[in-house]
Amino acid sequence: MSDRLPPPSDLSPSDIWDSIDGLCGWLDANRPVGGQEGLLLRILKLSEEVGEVAEAVIGATGQNPRKGTTHTWDDVQSELCDVAVTALVALRTLTPDAREVFAGHLARVTHRSLGT
């Protein structure tokens, strides 16, 4: 991964996957638990991130009367991005062919849903 990434609006799919590869490598170098257990913990991290999306939605809509409005819809967007990044890092941890696996899966879902 390069030291400088292009501005976010200029990120290509390749740049995104380079970032995912870099994040995966950084996490691998700094994880306290390795092996199968480390893989499972990385996948379980998704549940934590999804919970943060739920918390942000509840906070943005003021659904907890004790807390009131504690988040914005920008917070929800940010948490959804965290879910996407965490899922891609987990996929990359599971297989070095994450780019191809994701592209193939997206193509199948698109074809099934849109018929294209």
Side-chain angles (χ1 to χ4, degrees), residues 86-98:
T86 302
L88 293 177
V89 167
L91 179 61
R92 175 59 185 83
T93 301
L94 197 57
T95 177
D97 299 325

Side-chain angles (χ1 to χ4, degrees), residues 58-106:
I58 289 168
T61 58
Q63 293 302 301
N64 184 336
R66 186 175 51 81
K67 293 181 180 179
T69 302
T70 58
H71 292 75
T72 67
W73 288 105
D74 285 343
D75 295 327
V76 175
Q77 290 176 24
S78 179
E79 296 299 344
L80 286 168
C81 289
D82 285 348
V83 169
V85 169
T86 302
L88 293 177
V89 167
L91 179 61
R92 175 59 185 83
T93 301
L94 197 57
T95 177
D97 299 325
R99 296 172 197 224
E100 294 79 15
V101 169
F102 183 76
H105 186 79
L106 182 58

Side-chain angles (χ1 to χ4, degrees), residues 24-40:
C24 192
W26 175 75
L27 287 167
D28 286 346
N30 292 286
R31 67 178 165 184
V33 178
Q36 187 74 12
E37 187 177 0
L39 170 64
L40 295 175

Side-chain angles (χ1 to χ4, degrees), residues 21 29 43-44 58 62 82 98 110:
D21 288 343
I43 293 169
L44 284 175
I58 289 168
D82 285 348
T110 302

